Amino acid sequence: MVEPRAARPTLRFIDEYCEWYAPLFPEVRSFEAFKYLHVGMISELKRKTLPAIAKAVGLDNEQGLHHLLTKSPWSVTRLRQIRLKLILKLLDGQAVILLIDETGDCKKGKHTDYVKRQYIGNVGKKENGIVAVTAYALFRGMILPLSFEVYKPKERLKAGDEYKTKPQIAAEMIRELLSLGFRFELVLADSLYGESKVNFIRVLESLKLPYIVAIRSNHGMWLPQDQEVTCEPWQAFRRTFSNGKTEVRYRSEVIYGKRRTVRYWLLTTDPQTLPDNSTVYVMSNTPEVTLDEIGDRYGERTWIEYGLKQSKDALGWADFRVTDYKQIERWWEIVMSAFTMVSLFADAFNRECPLSHQILARHPWWDNQRGWKNLLNNLRLVVEPWIAFNRLKQWLEVFEIPSFIQGFVQLIQRMQQFYCPVMHDLLLRRILFSSA
């Protein structure tokens, strides 16, 4: 029996991360394509199309990458399960803040599954597009992608589909994540979910989950005739941002008749004019969150949401060129995997800074900040020589320059010293366990 060949290497940190998922792919070429897509997604390519990624990783064409999305026999569900179990292993029982959101992307025509004219958050208005409900975790300042599910409009349902509202989808996601072992110290969501009392809020309350959610300014509640809505005097507080900077904000508690377990707040930058883009009504059932923390805790949703848009744009979330949702779902799940790969470089998961990293940090463009986008910037610097060499190899077939090739080979070897400590340790433990 002929032994299957080993998968072609890329960069060490990508190979070691992707090795965690290797058993999922029965075909070597599919596993290689899986790794290549991770390289392409974290690269500086403006559009993460399959032809562009193929050129960046040194392939003659994109057929292998397309095969991975369309015909290769691997399971999206299994990939997500393996990724979530990896995150759970790293969290080691610690609770996270959960952000429920939705992401929408414009798509022309009606050939793409579940596309219709609907509200697209990225553009702030109704457009033709596709929308997915997403769940992300915040852990010690780092974002971890958890799950997503496409919203299926009633008009675009297929045979066997069941219509679910976005709050229903979000509630099911939360139940599933809890069943896997995730623990949530707080749930954050916008007014679409805050105004869904039956399908979302009651689910959170039944699961005994603390929440801070946005509500509409005209939020209503039935009150006895002898009770009325009152607002407490404005109080200034200092809003602390993720980078440590602070700004003055204002809050006022809105009381519907009398104070209850669930409390209501109006948060703004200007109590006189109440600017639309910096004023929000929130509802909370969190007795553990102090009065001074309410603005900061809900404010985490805003910067996470902004960071998520940047992150998904950087990885090519909307750059798929397929129309069948099963294939779109594969693309999205690989984006979530690439997102996770970057997040695992966070200080929250790594106690050491290897000497090789300290040497690479001498690069004048090395980003010493520790946010997700800063980590991505550094990973892009590490993959840059490998991608550049793949692009230049075509010219080296025209002009033979041995010294040039040798120089690139040596530079890429230096890049191979860079790795993710936590993933390296997990792989070593798995190898030792399997050989015992």
Side-chain angles (χ1 to χ4, degrees):
M1 182 177 177
V2 178
E3 287 289 327
R5 65 175 176 83
R8 295 186 181 92
T10 59
L11 279 302
R12 177 181 175 181
F13 75 90
I14 292 174
D15 290 344
E16 289 190 342
Y17 171 78
C18 291
E19 186 64 29
W20 198 254
Y21 307 91
L24 188 63
F25 301 96
E27 305 171 336
V28 174
R29 65 169 180 159
S30 292
F31 182 51
E32 288 175 341
F34 179 69
K35 296 198 296 181
Y36 291 149
L37 285 184
H38 281 72
V39 176
M41 286 174 175
I42 69 167
S43 73
E44 292 193 84
L45 289 172
K46 187 175 181 180
R47 293 286 183 184
K48 320 293 186 182
T49 63
L50 297 186
I53 293 176
K55 288 181 180 178
V57 300
L59 298 177
D60 293 332
N61 56 62
E62 71 275 14
Q63 290 179 2
L65 305 179
H66 188 264
H67 174 79
L68 178 70
L69 297 179
T70 56
K71 297 180 180 179
S72 179
W74 61 278
S75 165
V76 166
T77 302
R78 284 288 299 131
L79 177 56
R80 183 180 299 129
Q81 288 173 345
I82 295 171
R83 183 174 57 81
L84 292 178
K85 285 181 180 179
L86 171 61
I87 292 173
L88 281 169
K89 184 183 288 288
L90 297 176
L91 291 176
D92 194 26
Q94 298 175 84
V96 299
I97 295 174
L98 177 67
L99 172 68
I100 297 295
D101 197 17
E102 67 274 346
T103 183
D105 299 288
C106 297
K107 292 292 175 183
K108 295 180 180 179
K110 297 182 179 180
H111 296 293
T112 303
D113 289 346
Y114 306 122
V115 163
K116 69 159 287 189
R117 186 171 177 79
Q118 55 190 317
Y119 181 78
I120 306 295
N122 287 350
V123 294
K125 60 181 180 179
K126 282 190 173 183
E127 290 286 354
N128 206 57
I130 187 170
V131 174
V133 180
T134 57
Y136 289 83
L138 179 64
F139 179 69
R140 297 184 185 177
M142 181 51 58
I143 302 172
L144 294 164
L146 299 182
S147 191
F148 67 85
E149 184 176 331
V150 71
Y151 169 67
K152 302 175 181 178
K154 288 182 179 179
E155 306 90 329
R156 300 301 309 274
L157 293 179
K158 297 182 177 183
D161 283 345
E162 175 188 358
Y163 176 73
K164 291 180 287 188
T165 65
K166 294 171 188 174
Q168 284 176 316
I169 293 171
E172 288 183 6
M173 276 186 185
I174 293 173
R175 290 184 187 277
E176 182 179 356
L177 290 167
L178 287 171
S179 71
L180 291 173
F182 283 94
R183 296 177 57 238
F184 303 124
E185 63 178 87
L186 184 65
V187 178
L188 303 175
D190 65 21
S191 61
L192 174 68
Y193 305 93
E195 292 293 345
S196 180
K197 186 171 183 179
V198 174
N199 292 325
F200 191 73
I201 296 300
R202 283 184 180 171
V203 172
L204 296 183
E205 292 172 345
S206 69
L207 296 171
K208 295 181 171 52
L209 290 175
Y211 61 79
I212 303 177
V213 295
I215 54 176
R216 292 194 297 262
S217 59
N218 62 351
H219 180 81
M221 178 184 295
W222 288 103
L223 295 176
Q225 289 185 349
D226 61 340
Q227 295 184 17
E228 59 184 13
V229 180
T230 59
C231 294
E232 293 288 280
W234 288 104
Q235 293 180 308
F237 69 97
R238 297 207 72 84
R239 164 84 167 90
T240 304
F241 295 89
S242 59
N243 59 6
K245 292 183 179 179
T246 64
E247 290 183 9
V248 175
R249 295 286 191 270
Y250 300 87
R251 63 173 174 249
S252 171
E253 184 177 5
V254 182
I255 302 174
Y256 289 84
K258 60 181 181 180
R259 283 196 176 96
R260 296 171 169 79
T261 303
V262 176
R263 299 175 71 177
Y264 304 83
W265 303 90
L266 177 56
L267 308 175
T268 187
T269 55
D270 187 340
Q272 301 300 320
T273 62
L274 300 178
D276 289 340
N277 62 350
S278 59
T279 300
V280 63
Y281 291 79
V282 301
M283 176 173 70
S284 171
N285 71 337
T286 55
E288 297 83 3
V289 176
T290 67
L291 189 64
D292 289 334
E293 292 177 321
I294 193 75
D296 283 350
R297 298 310 292 270
Y298 183 76
E300 289 171 338
R301 190 195 77 84
T302 305
W303 77 259
I304 295 173
E305 189 178 54
Y306 175 73
L308 288 178
K309 183 183 184 307
Q310 283 194 317
S311 304
K312 288 183 289 190
D313 288 349
L315 297 175
W317 175 269
D319 289 343
F320 58 87
R321 294 294 181 268
V322 289
T323 58
D324 185 286
Y325 179 64
K326 290 181 179 179
Q327 298 165 14
I328 297 171
E329 186 181 29
R330 287 186 165 197
W331 176 266
W332 282 350
E333 188 54 48
I334 296 174
V335 169
M336 296 292 251
S337 177
F339 196 129
T340 303
M341 180 178 70
V342 177
S343 298
L344 296 190
F345 279 89
D347 292 341
F349 304 117
N350 299 281
R351 297 180 181 178
E352 61 178 274
C353 180
L355 179 61
S356 59
H357 294 203
Q358 299 174 35
I359 295 173
L360 294 182
R362 298 173 187 170
H363 191 293
W365 296 346
W366 195 263
D367 196 331
N368 290 310
Q369 297 185 60
R370 303 306 296 166
W372 188 92
K373 191 61 165 58
N374 310 113
L375 297 175
L376 176 64
N377 290 339
N378 292 337
L379 298 187
R380 285 177 167 177
L381 286 177
V382 175
V383 303
E384 185 178 47
W386 192 76
I387 291 177
F389 186 57
N390 286 328
R391 292 184 178 280
L392 291 171
K393 277 192 296 188
Q394 307 302 322
W395 276 118
L396 295 175
E397 292 181 7
V398 179
F399 303 105
E400 188 174 340
I401 311 175
S403 59
F404 184 83
I405 296 174
Q406 186 60 33
F408 253 108
V409 169
Q410 291 178 2
L411 179 58
I412 292 169
Q413 286 174 345
R414 298 286 195 280
M415 299 302 105
Q416 297 293 13
Q417 298 173 16
F418 181 85
Y419 64 96
C420 178
V422 69
M423 279 307 307
H424 182 71
D425 290 347
L426 285 173
L427 281 175
L428 282 179
R429 290 178 203 167
R430 189 162 79 173
I431 293 170
L432 291 172
F433 179 80
S434 60
S435 61

PDB file of all heavy atoms in Angstrom, residues 261-273:
ATOM      1  N   THR A 261     -36.083  44.512  38.974  1.00  0.00           N
ATOM      2  CA  THR A 261     -34.832  43.763  38.774  1.00  0.00           C
ATOM      3  C   THR A 261     -34.144  44.214  37.497  1.00  0.00           C
ATOM      4  O   THR A 261     -32.922  44.364  37.428  1.00  0.00           O
ATOM      5  CB  THR A 261     -35.118  42.251  38.711  1.00  0.00           C
ATOM      6  OG1 THR A 261     -35.788  41.858  39.906  1.00  0.00           O
ATOM      7  CG2 THR A 261     -33.830  41.463  38.568  1.00  0.00           C
ATOM      8  N   VAL A 262     -34.952  44.402  36.452  1.00  0.00           N
ATOM      9  CA  VAL A 262     -34.431  44.917  35.181  1.00  0.00           C
ATOM     10  C   VAL A 262     -34.459  46.442  35.244  1.00  0.00           C
ATOM     11  O   VAL A 262     -35.496  47.039  35.550  1.00  0.00           O
ATOM     12  CB  VAL A 262     -35.269  44.410  33.991  1.00  0.00           C
ATOM     13  CG1 VAL A 262     -34.764  45.030  32.689  1.00  0.00           C
ATOM     14  CG2 VAL A 262     -35.214  42.889  33.916  1.00  0.00           C
ATOM     15  N   ARG A 263     -33.330  47.070  34.953  1.00  0.00           N
ATOM     16  CA  ARG A 263     -33.236  48.527  35.021  1.00  0.00           C
ATOM     17  C   ARG A 263     -32.901  49.094  33.644  1.00  0.00           C
ATOM     18  O   ARG A 263     -32.371  48.395  32.777  1.00  0.00           O
ATOM     19  CB  ARG A 263     -32.184  48.942  36.054  1.00  0.00           C
ATOM     20  CG  ARG A 263     -32.540  48.451  37.464  1.00  0.00           C
ATOM     21  CD  ARG A 263     -31.453  48.738  38.472  1.00  0.00           C
ATOM     22  NE  ARG A 263     -31.347  50.162  38.774  1.00  0.00           N
ATOM     23  CZ  ARG A 263     -30.502  50.667  39.682  1.00  0.00           C
ATOM     24  NH1 ARG A 263     -29.693  49.851  40.360  1.00  0.00           N
ATOM     25  NH2 ARG A 263     -30.438  51.973  39.908  1.00  0.00           N
ATOM     26  N   TYR A 264     -33.211  50.377  33.456  1.00  0.00           N
ATOM     27  CA  TYR A 264     -33.112  51.028  32.150  1.00  0.00           C
ATOM     28  C   TYR A 264     -32.271  52.290  32.270  1.00  0.00           C
ATOM     29  O   TYR A 264     -32.390  53.045  33.248  1.00  0.00           O
ATOM     30  CB  TYR A 264     -34.506  51.374  31.624  1.00  0.00           C
ATOM     31  CG  TYR A 264     -35.422  50.176  31.550  1.00  0.00           C
ATOM     32  CD1 TYR A 264     -36.110  49.739  32.678  1.00  0.00           C
ATOM     33  CD2 TYR A 264     -35.586  49.468  30.363  1.00  0.00           C
ATOM     34  CE1 TYR A 264     -36.950  48.635  32.618  1.00  0.00           C
ATOM     35  CE2 TYR A 264     -36.420  48.360  30.291  1.00  0.00           C
ATOM     36  CZ  TYR A 264     -37.094  47.951  31.429  1.00  0.00           C
ATOM     37  OH  TYR A 264     -37.913  46.848  31.380  1.00  0.00           O
ATOM     38  N   TRP A 265     -31.439  52.515  31.233  1.00  0.00           N
ATOM     39  CA  TRP A 265     -30.513  53.639  31.266  1.00  0.00           C
ATOM     40  C   TRP A 265     -30.475  54.343  29.917  1.00  0.00           C
ATOM     41  O   TRP A 265     -30.650  53.721  28.872  1.00  0.00           O
ATOM     42  CB  TRP A 265     -29.098  53.159  31.603  1.00  0.00           C
ATOM     43  CG  TRP A 265     -29.006  52.415  32.891  1.00  0.00           C
ATOM     44  CD1 TRP A 265     -29.153  51.075  33.082  1.00  0.00           C
ATOM     45  CD2 TRP A 265     -28.765  52.973  34.174  1.00  0.00           C
ATOM     46  NE1 TRP A 265     -29.027  50.758  34.403  1.00  0.00           N
ATOM     47  CE2 TRP A 265     -28.772  51.902  35.101  1.00  0.00           C
ATOM     48  CE3 TRP A 265     -28.526  54.270  34.634  1.00  0.00           C
ATOM     49  CZ2 TRP A 265     -28.572  52.100  36.462  1.00  0.00           C
ATOM     50  CZ3 TRP A 265     -28.310  54.458  35.993  1.00  0.00           C
ATOM     51  CH2 TRP A 265     -28.341  53.378  36.885  1.00  0.00           C
ATOM     52  N   LEU A 266     -30.220  55.634  29.986  1.00  0.00           N
ATOM     53  CA  LEU A 266     -29.953  56.434  28.796  1.00  0.00           C
ATOM     54  C   LEU A 266     -28.509  56.900  28.900  1.00  0.00           C
ATOM     55  O   LEU A 266     -28.120  57.555  29.879  1.00  0.00           O
ATOM     56  CB  LEU A 266     -30.898  57.631  28.723  1.00  0.00           C
ATOM     57  CG  LEU A 266     -30.714  58.620  27.568  1.00  0.00           C
ATOM     58  CD1 LEU A 266     -30.787  57.895  26.228  1.00  0.00           C
ATOM     59  CD2 LEU A 266     -31.769  59.719  27.630  1.00  0.00           C
ATOM     60  N   LEU A 267     -27.685  56.517  27.915  1.00  0.00           N
ATOM     61  CA  LEU A 267     -26.261  56.863  27.904  1.00  0.00           C
ATOM     62  C   LEU A 267     -25.994  57.772  26.712  1.00  0.00           C
ATOM     63  O   LEU A 267     -26.459  57.494  25.592  1.00  0.00           O
ATOM     64  CB  LEU A 267     -25.411  55.593  27.782  1.00  0.00           C
ATOM     65  CG  LEU A 267     -25.697  54.467  28.778  1.00  0.00           C
ATOM     66  CD1 LEU A 267     -24.860  53.234  28.442  1.00  0.00           C
ATOM     67  CD2 LEU A 267     -25.418  54.925  30.204  1.00  0.00           C
ATOM     68  N   THR A 268     -25.235  58.847  26.916  1.00  0.00           N
ATOM     69  CA  THR A 268     -24.998  59.779  25.824  1.00  0.00           C
ATOM     70  C   THR A 268     -23.708  60.570  26.038  1.00  0.00           C
ATOM     71  O   THR A 268     -23.156  60.607  27.143  1.00  0.00           O
ATOM     72  CB  THR A 268     -26.182  60.768  25.698  1.00  0.00           C
ATOM     73  OG1 THR A 268     -26.017  61.578  24.521  1.00  0.00           O
ATOM     74  CG2 THR A 268     -26.281  61.679  26.915  1.00  0.00           C
ATOM     75  N   THR A 269     -23.257  61.204  24.963  1.00  0.00           N
ATOM     76  CA  THR A 269     -22.113  62.115  25.050  1.00  0.00           C
ATOM     77  C   THR A 269     -22.558  63.541  25.330  1.00  0.00           C
ATOM     78  O   THR A 269     -21.763  64.373  25.764  1.00  0.00           O
ATOM     79  CB  THR A 269     -21.314  62.104  23.738  1.00  0.00           C
ATOM     80  OG1 THR A 269     -22.208  62.420  22.648  1.00  0.00           O
ATOM     81  CG2 THR A 269     -20.693  60.737  23.495  1.00  0.00           C
ATOM     82  N   ASP A 270     -23.841  63.845  25.054  1.00  0.00           N
ATOM     83  CA  ASP A 270     -24.346  65.211  25.225  1.00  0.00           C
ATOM     84  C   ASP A 270     -25.803  65.160  25.677  1.00  0.00           C
ATOM     85  O   ASP A 270     -26.701  64.887  24.864  1.00  0.00           O
ATOM     86  CB  ASP A 270     -24.233  65.984  23.910  1.00  0.00           C
ATOM     87  CG  ASP A 270     -24.577  67.464  24.064  1.00  0.00           C
ATOM     88  OD1 ASP A 270     -25.244  67.815  25.058  1.00  0.00           O
ATOM     89  OD2 ASP A 270     -24.191  68.253  23.197  1.00  0.00           O
ATOM     90  N   PRO A 271     -26.099  65.431  26.946  1.00  0.00           N
ATOM     91  CA  PRO A 271     -27.480  65.341  27.436  1.00  0.00           C
ATOM     92  C   PRO A 271     -28.402  66.434  26.901  1.00  0.00           C
ATOM     93  O   PRO A 271     -29.620  66.331  27.038  1.00  0.00           O
ATOM     94  CB  PRO A 271     -27.310  65.460  28.955  1.00  0.00           C
ATOM     95  CG  PRO A 271     -26.018  66.181  29.145  1.00  0.00           C
ATOM     96  CD  PRO A 271     -25.147  65.763  28.004  1.00  0.00           C
ATOM     97  N   GLN A 272     -27.816  67.465  26.297  1.00  0.00           N
ATOM     98  CA  GLN A 272     -28.648  68.548  25.766  1.00  0.00           C
ATOM     99  C   GLN A 272     -29.202  68.202  24.374  1.00  0.00           C
ATOM    100  O   GLN A 272     -30.384  68.398  24.095  1.00  0.00           O
ATOM    101  CB  GLN A 272     -27.823  69.849  25.693  1.00  0.00           C
ATOM    102  CG  GLN A 272     -27.265  70.302  27.040  1.00  0.00           C
ATOM    103  CD  GLN A 272     -28.347  70.563  28.070  1.00  0.00           C
ATOM    104  OE1 GLN A 272     -29.390  71.123  27.743  1.00  0.00           O
ATOM    105  NE2 GLN A 272     -28.103  70.140  29.307  1.00  0.00           N
ATOM    106  N   THR A 273     -28.332  67.661  23.511  1.00  0.00           N
ATOM    107  CA  THR A 273     -28.748  67.407  22.119  1.00  0.00           C
ATOM    108  C   THR A 273     -29.013  65.938  21.822  1.00  0.00           C
ATOM    109  O   THR A 273     -29.638  65.618  20.813  1.00  0.00           O
ATOM    110  CB  THR A 273     -27.676  67.928  21.148  1.00  0.00           C
ATOM    111  OG1 THR A 273     -26.447  67.216  21.390  1.00  0.00           O
ATOM    112  CG2 THR A 273     -27.434  69.416  21.344  1.00  0.00           C
TER     113      THR A 273
END
